[in-house]
Structure formats: C-alpha cells, structure tokens
C-alpha cells in the first residue's frame, strides 16, 4: 500500500496519531493541573488554619501572662478594666474574639457586650487544670478555631483564677484562603498553558515524523511489512548511513550465514567476503552483481535510499544463484558435448567426401586407411573417457571440452591412468570444478607459446578423488589471490570461475592448490563419499 493512500485512509478513520496523542496529553494535563490545584488549595487552607491556631494560642498565652489581666480578674469589676484592653488587642491582632472569663464560665469580656456576664460556650477543663489547649468549636459567633489558656494568680503558677479564650472564625480563615486563591489559580493556569504549548509542539513534531498516520494504520503497516519482509524469498538487508544493519529478514540471514541478531552491526563485522563487504560499504548502485559468499553464489542488487533527496542508507536484495550456477555448469557440459557432436558430424562429412573422392579416383586402399585412422582416434578418446568415468555428466563434459580445445587449437590430453568411479560427490560440483579448471587452462594455453597443451588427470586413492590440471601457459603471478572473486588474467571477464571452484571444493570438504608456473598446475583433493544406491 502506498504512503499517500495510507495517509488518506488514516485521516478518514480516526485522525493522526499526533492528534490522538495531543488529545490524551491535554486530558492528562487538565487532570494533573486540577489535582495539583485542589491539593494546593487544601494545603493553603491547612496552612491558614495552622497559622490561625498558632496565632490564637500565642495571643491567649500573652494575655494570660499580662500583669494587668492577672490583677484585674480578681477585682470587683473586671469588665471595666479588661473590656477596653481586650478589644484593643483584638483589633490590633485581627482576631475574631477574645473572651476573659471566670472559672465558672462567666464572661468578663466579649466583642458583643450583650454576651458579657453570660456563660462561655466551649471546653475549659484542660485550662482549669493549668494547660493551654486549642480546638475547633461552634460558639455565639459560629465555628471558630480557638485557644483557651489559664490565668494564674499573681505570684502563683498553679492557682487558676480566670481563663482567656482567643478565637478566629472559620469565615475569617476562608477569607484568608480566598486571598491566597488567585495566586494558586494563576500558577495552575501558567502550568496548564506551558504544558499545552509543549504538548502542541510535541504533537506537531510527531505528526511530521509519522507522516500524519494514525495508530491503527501504523500498527497495520508494521504487521503487514513485517510479514512481507519475512515471507519474501529474496534476502533483504537495510543499512543506515553509517553502514550498520537496521533490518535483515530470514532469507538474508540464511544466504549470508548470519546469526540470530545482527541489528546495529557494521557490514565489516558480518563475516562477509571482502568483495561483498566492500560493495555494501560503498553503498553504490549495484544491479545483479554476482558475488561469492561462503558456499553460495549470490546475485546482489543495491539501491541507495535517498528520501527527500538526502542519503540515509541503502536497500540490498540478495538472490541465491548457487543452484542455478550448478545447473548452468551441467547445461554447459551438455552444450559442449552437443557442440562436439556437431563438430564431429561436420568433420565426419568432410572425411566422408574425401573418402568417396579417393574411391572414385581408384585409390581404394588410401581411402580405407584415411577413414579408419580418423575414426580410430575419435573412438579411442570416447572409449577411454566412457570407460574411465562413471559419472555421465562428467564424461560428457570431458568429451565436450576435448572437442572445444581441438577447435581452438589446443590439445587436451587425458592421462591414460584416469579412473573415476562412484564418488558420491554431486555431479554439479564436479562439473563446476573440472569445467572451470579446464576452461581456464585452455585460455591460459592459448596465451602461451606452441605447443599449446592441457593435461588432465583424475584418480581415486585412499578414499579421496584427486584431480590435476596443467597447462603450457605463462602461469599465474599471484597464487594467493587466484581464487578470489574478481581476480582474472583476461582482458574481459568477471573473475568468477576459480572463485566458484574454491567454493565447490570447500563445500565438499576438499582442498585446492596452485603451482604458479610457468605452466600453471591446479591440484584438487576431495573426500569420496559413500555411493548412493538407486
């Protein structure tokens, strides 16, 4: 599914992921701000109540310790002295009421003069025992936070002669809280505004990064693409700009022989052949390039990834060419055999015409000698190969290569001691090894001086199949690099044949070596397997 179609469908379904996230963030932000605001208001109210309680206690204890008050409470008319004094203190301290009373609750002072002489409402037991205490109580002025302190007789610390109560009404406390509320709300509003702006910026960035896709389309695309990547029969490798693996599917792991997880590794850390690692590191355009990796022949295509004109890595596809290469080798051997038959048929026609002409000229003995001599040479070669080599494909290959070498002016000599029975080695691998070695030997012989010859020997000894191919060419200059993919002495060519030989030999647990020359000699040793009965 193309990205524009997915975008349109996403908008039709439920909106972009960024928009949904913005809504969720806004909801969470509002809930958090409201919770914090409510907590702040509650904390502020508790703080005001605690301050009012401490203030009432301090004022009550101060008045109780005043010498004026301690002397006035025992006079005949305490109200005349205390009412003006207490009301002045109440006004100065902004408290709701200050009441001085006798131990029997009779009020000496009150903000409402009509309450003077009446009994005080509230608890006084602790104060009568000489202890200051605080409480919340509903009196004549309504609910209030109050402190009650004992007034001791002059010169005594235990004789309670009166009590003083200082209170601040809940209404007054609420007014103080209301005064602090605008600041709390202002902070909450600022937090909400900053959070909303941050959420909008995050949403905007996320919308760009997700191309406006919604959560469901993103999840669906991930599921589809993951299924496709692991189901395709081609190997797929995604590299970032630093040449590190970002994605590898199952087929690519199999073809490259990778372990379970290579995400994040550099291409040079994957154990690939130097040529393939170089190709991937360059991140250049590559179309159907053939590379040898381990025991496989891979067709590699690489496309640099440049979204919006900037390079971010490369997409690499891999196809297994191993089986096709083996089939191609067998097909080449059959084609070469057919070509040799065609060539022999052409030569047979020429010999037949020559023989007929000799007969017509009355030279019968010479005609018989000419015909039988040519037939004997061809028949001896065919008989020798068929008798010495039980593998039909390999026998056809040898006959075809012999005919090809003859047509190109090179003599292919097959050692008379050649003998190959049942080896259990796959015929395709034998064709790959022998065919490529003979092709290279014939090309090398053509580059040398006459006589141009190639000698082949095949034999079995001590459970191994031994192969030796020697030519009369100039030899090789760098035997250490001869089996590397890309190495070649030809003006044109991919340098793949000897790399395939090394690969097939390694796959079958054998060894291959080369003698530099002049006149290079390649030796191959392969373990013989048990014959498979049909």
């Amino acid at each position: 599914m193309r990205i524009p179609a997915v975008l349109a469908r996403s908008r039709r379904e439920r909106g972009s992921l960024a928009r949904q996230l913005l809504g969720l963030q806004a909801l969470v932000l509002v809930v958090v701000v409201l919770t914090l605001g409510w907590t702040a208001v509650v904390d502020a109210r508790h703080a005001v109540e605690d301050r009012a309680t401490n203030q009432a206690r301090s004022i009550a204890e101060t008045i109780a310790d005043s010498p004026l008050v301690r002397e006035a409470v025992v006079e005949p008319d305490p109200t005349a002295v205390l009412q003006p004094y207490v009301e002045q203190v109440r006004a100065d301290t902004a408290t709701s009421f200050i009441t001085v009373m006798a131990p029997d609750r009779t009020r000496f002072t009150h903000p409402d003069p009509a309450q003077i002489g009446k009994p005080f409402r509230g608890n006084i037991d602790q104060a009568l025992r000489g202890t200051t205490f605080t409480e919340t109580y509903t009196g004549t002025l309504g609910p209030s936070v109050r402190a009650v302190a004992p007034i001791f007789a002059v010169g005594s610390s235990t004789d309670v002669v009166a009590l003083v109560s200082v209170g601040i009404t809940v209404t007054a406390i609420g007014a103080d809280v209301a005064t602090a509320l605008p600041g709390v709300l202002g902070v909450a509003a600022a937090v909400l505004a900053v959070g909303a702006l941050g959420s909008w910026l995050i949403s905007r960035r996320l919308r760009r990064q997700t191309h406006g896709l919604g959560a469901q389309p993103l999840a669906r695309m991930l599921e589809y693409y993951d299924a496709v990547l692991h189901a395709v029969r081609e190997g797929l490798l995604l590299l970032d700009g630093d040449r590190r693996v970002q994605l590898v599917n199952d087929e690519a792991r199999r073809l490259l022989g990778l372990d379970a997880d290579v995400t994040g590794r550099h291409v040079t850390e994957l154990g690939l052949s130097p040529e393939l690692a170089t190709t991937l590191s360059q991140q250049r355009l590559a179309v159907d390039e053939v590379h040898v990796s381990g025991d496989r022949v891979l067709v590699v295509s690489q496309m640099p990834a440049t979204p919006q004109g900037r390079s971010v890595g490369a997409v690499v596809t891999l196809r297994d060419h191993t089986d096709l290469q083996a089939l191609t080798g067998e097909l080449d051997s059959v084609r070469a055999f057919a070509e040799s038959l065609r060539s022999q048929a052409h030569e047979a026609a020429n010999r037949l015409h020559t023989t007929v002409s000799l007969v017509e000229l009355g030279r019968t003995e010479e005609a018989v000698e000419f015909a039988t001599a040519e037939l004997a040479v061809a028949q001896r070669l065919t008989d020798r190969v068929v008798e010495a080599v039980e593998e039909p494909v390999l026998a056809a290959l040898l006959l075809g290569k012999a005919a090809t070498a003859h047509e190109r002016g090179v003599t292919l000599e097959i050692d008379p001691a050649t003998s190959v029975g049942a080896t259990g080695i796959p015929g395709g691998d034998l064709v790959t090894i022998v065919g490529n070695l003979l092709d290279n030997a014939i090309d090398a012989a053509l580059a040398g001086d006459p006589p141009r010859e190639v000698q082949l020997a095949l034999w079995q000894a001590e459970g191994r199949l031994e192969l030796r191919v020697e030519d009369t060419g100039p030899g090789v200059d760098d035997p250490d690099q001869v089996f590397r993919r890309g190495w070649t002495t030809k003006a044109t060519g991919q340098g793949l044949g000897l790399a395939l030989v090394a690969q097939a030999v390694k796959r079958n647990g054998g060894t291959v070596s080369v003698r530099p020359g002049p006149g290079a000699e390649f030796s191959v040793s392969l373990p013989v397997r048990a014959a498979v009965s049909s």
Side-chain angles (χ1 to χ4, degrees), residues 238-363:
L238 298 186
L239 306 176
D240 62 13
D242 295 328
R243 282 66 176 171
R244 296 188 177 277
V245 178
Q246 295 302 312
L247 186 146
V248 56
N249 68 350
D250 298 338
E251 183 65 8
R253 285 195 183 95
R254 185 183 71 84
L255 295 179
L256 297 178
L258 303 177
D259 54 18
D261 187 10
V262 295
T263 303
R265 292 189 189 179
H266 197 274
V267 293
T268 56
E269 302 173 355
L270 302 182
L272 307 178
S273 64
E275 296 79 16
L276 181 55
T278 300
T279 299
L280 299 184
S281 297
Q282 294 174 349
Q283 293 196 345
R284 58 177 175 81
L285 178 65
V287 180
D288 293 342
E289 292 189 0
V290 179
H291 287 268
V292 178
S293 179
D295 59 352
R296 297 185 181 279
V297 180
L298 302 178
V299 178
V300 180
S301 295
Q302 180 172 244
M303 177 67 69
T306 55
Q308 300 178 352
R310 57 189 182 90
S311 178
V312 297
V315 180
V316 182
T317 58
L318 309 166
R319 297 196 306 275
D320 193 353
H321 202 59
T322 307
D323 295 339
L324 181 59
Q325 189 72 30
L327 293 175
T328 301
E330 294 185 13
L331 179 60
D332 288 342
S333 67
V334 174
R335 183 183 293 114
F337 183 61
E339 187 67 19
S340 68
L341 293 178
R342 182 197 62 79
S343 176
Q344 291 178 12
H346 181 73
E347 290 296 322
N350 290 335
R351 289 195 298 271
L352 179 60
H353 288 302
T354 302
T355 302
V356 170
S357 297
L358 289 173
V359 171
E360 290 177 348
L361 293 174
R363 308 178 70 171

Side-chain angles (χ1 to χ4, degrees), residues 126-483:
Q126 294 185 51
L128 290 174
R129 291 193 294 268
T131 302
T132 302
F133 71 96
T134 59
E135 66 174 352
T136 300
Y137 193 86
T138 302
T140 57
L141 299 179
S144 62
V145 174
R146 60 179 63 177
V148 182
I151 300 175
F152 298 102
V154 176
S156 174
S157 60
T158 58
D159 186 11
V160 178
V161 295
L163 304 172
V164 60
S165 176
V166 179
I168 301 174
T169 62
V170 174
T171 303
I173 294 175
D176 291 340
V177 173
T179 302
L181 190 59
V184 174
L185 295 179
V187 173
V191 172
L192 184 61
V194 173
L197 178 60
S199 297
W200 179 76
L201 293 175
I202 294 174
S203 174
R204 185 178 179 184
R205 178 177 178 82
L206 183 62
R207 185 182 298 109
R208 289 198 305 266
Q209 292 179 335
T210 59
H211 301 285
L213 291 173
Q216 290 184 351
L218 279 174
R220 186 162 52 245
M221 287 176 60
L222 178 61
E223 293 172 356
Y224 289 167
Y225 291 167
D226 185 71
V228 170
L229 290 175
H230 292 284
V232 293
R233 299 190 63 182
E234 284 189 347
L236 182 63
L237 199 66
L238 298 186
L239 306 176
D240 62 13
D242 295 328
R243 282 66 176 171
R244 296 188 177 277
V245 178
Q246 295 302 312
L247 186 146
V248 56
N249 68 350
D250 298 338
E251 183 65 8
R253 285 195 183 95
R254 185 183 71 84
L255 295 179
L256 297 178
L258 303 177
D259 54 18
D261 187 10
V262 295
T263 303
R265 292 189 189 179
H266 197 274
V267 293
T268 56
E269 302 173 355
L270 302 182
L272 307 178
S273 64
E275 296 79 16
L276 181 55
T278 300
T279 299
L280 299 184
S281 297
Q282 294 174 349
Q283 293 196 345
R284 58 177 175 81
L285 178 65
V287 180
D288 293 342
E289 292 189 0
V290 179
H291 287 268
V292 178
S293 179
D295 59 352
R296 297 185 181 279
V297 180
L298 302 178
V299 178
V300 180
S301 295
Q302 180 172 244
M303 177 67 69
T306 55
Q308 300 178 352
R310 57 189 182 90
S311 178
V312 297
V315 180
V316 182
T317 58
L318 309 166
R319 297 196 306 275
D320 193 353
H321 202 59
T322 307
D323 295 339
L324 181 59
Q325 189 72 30
L327 293 175
T328 301
E330 294 185 13
L331 179 60
D332 288 342
S333 67
V334 174
R335 183 183 293 114
F337 183 61
E339 187 67 19
S340 68
L341 293 178
R342 182 197 62 79
S343 176
Q344 291 178 12
H346 181 73
E347 290 296 322
N350 290 335
R351 289 195 298 271
L352 179 60
H353 288 302
T354 302
T355 302
V356 170
S357 297
L358 289 173
V359 171
E360 290 177 348
L361 293 174
R363 308 178 70 171
T364 304
E365 293 183 1
E366 294 179 3
V368 172
E369 183 180 354
F370 174 77
T372 55
E374 292 294 331
L375 289 174
V377 173
Q379 190 61 41
R380 278 198 304 271
L381 177 61
T382 301
D383 291 342
R384 185 193 314 165
V385 171
V386 171
E387 290 178 1
V389 180
E390 292 186 11
E391 178 63 52
V393 176
L394 183 58
L397 174 69
L398 296 179
L399 291 175
K401 294 301 181 184
T404 301
H406 177 72
E407 289 183 355
R408 299 180 64 184
V410 176
T411 301
L412 175 58
E413 292 288 344
I414 299 178
D415 193 305
T418 292
S419 176
V420 179
T423 63
I425 301 173
D429 288 343
L430 286 176
V431 168
T432 297
I433 296 170
V434 178
N436 281 287
L437 288 178
L438 288 178
D439 286 339
N440 279 277
I442 292 171
D443 291 336
L446 287 172
D449 297 327
R452 299 179 174 90
E453 296 180 353
V454 173
Q455 296 191 7
L456 167 68
L458 280 165
W459 70 96
Q460 290 179 242
E462 298 180 356
R464 302 186 70 86
L465 174 64
E466 306 292 341
L467 164 67
R468 185 179 67 247
V469 178
E470 186 177 3
D471 61 69
T472 58
V476 295
D477 298 329
D478 193 355
D480 294 332
Q481 298 294 323
V482 69
F483 296 106

Side-chain angles (χ1 to χ4, degrees), residues 42-59:
V42 172
D43 287 344
R45 184 174 183 85
H46 288 164
V48 171
E49 289 179 354
D50 291 342
R51 186 173 69 248
T53 301
N54 293 332
Q55 181 183 4
R57 186 184 189 98
S58 297
I59 295 172

